[in-house]
Amino acid sequence: MQASQTTSTTPPGPTDARRRPASDGHIEAINQVFALFRLNYHNQYYAAYPDAEQLKQIKKLWLESLADYPVEQILRGARHAIENSEYLPTLHRMLECCQESIASLGLPDAYSAYREACDAQSPRSAQPWSHPAVYLAGRDSDWFFLANNPERSTWPVFRKHYQAWCTRALRGEALAVPQEPALEQHAAEPLSTEQQLAALARLRRETQL
């Protein structure tokens, strides 16, 4: 069976300038992904990656392209690819699988979530969020900070918090937007006749009527 091509145009997303440095967890995740592909697409895998140095460069490309996704989402995307295709995934397909793997949870991609958080109006807890993780990441990033600083400063901060909340959602935690505390209502007590007369006299003095 012929292996699919290993290079492809990637879907729209954050530019290279906004990509984050790879963490040790992401490096390990990419190694796990390729190990899964080797086991499940044995012949295709060795046909596509016959050279160790070439494989090293391809892993580096995948690592850079997938750095904006939580580790759990990358692994979930790999399993989604394996379960839904008999062909070795391209990088383009892997990016799609990472999104498809969380579609049922309603989680938007990181940059769409960032734009949603930046554009939200007050009171933010009352807005129709695409997912609670977006609100929670915005809150943890600090709304004032997001609104008053350039993207080059705010995007990495938001992305870090959003990945953390996505990880919790992917692990099965139910997230929710906290409700704003309602203002306590106190029923006004009626004034006595003496209090009403005193208030009226004070009002006349103040207005010189």
Side-chain angles (χ1 to χ4, degrees), residues 134-149:
V134 182
Y135 168 87
L136 294 167
R139 180 200 64 186
D140 292 352
S141 301
D142 187 83
W143 300 115
F144 184 84
F145 172 73
L146 291 178
N148 292 278
N149 290 278

Side-chain angles (χ1 to χ4, degrees), residues 153-186:
S153 300
T154 57
W155 161 242
V157 173
F158 177 87
R159 177 178 52 199
K160 176 182 177 181
H161 289 298
Y162 185 63
Q163 285 196 356
W165 284 108
C166 283
T167 296
R168 294 171 68 166
L170 288 166
R171 290 175 177 172
E173 182 175 342
L175 306 182
V177 176
Q179 297 297 314
E180 290 287 345
L183 294 176
E184 189 174 355
Q185 300 293 328
H186 294 283

Side-chain angles (χ1 to χ4, degrees), residues 50 79 81 124 135:
R79 290 191 293 270
R124 293 180 175 86
Y135 168 87

Side-chain angles (χ1 to χ4, degrees), residues 59-99:
K59 283 185 176 182
K60 181 179 179 181
L61 173 62
W62 281 50
L63 181 62
E64 292 172 351
S65 299
L66 294 168
D68 286 333
Y69 294 97
V71 168
E72 284 77 5
Q73 188 176 353
I74 294 172
L75 297 175
R76 191 179 178 120
R79 290 191 293 270
H80 180 79
I82 292 169
E83 292 168 359
N84 290 277
S85 177
E86 59 182 312
Y87 296 104
L88 180 66
T90 62
L91 174 56
H92 176 86
R93 180 58 188 147
M94 181 61 182
L95 288 164
E96 290 180 336
C97 287
C98 284
Q99 286 303 309

Side-chain angles (χ1 to χ4, degrees), residues 19-32:
R19 294 196 187 282
R20 65 181 299 170
S23 67
D24 290 342
H26 282 80
I27 294 172
E28 177 60 27
I30 294 300
N31 286 331
Q32 289 185 44

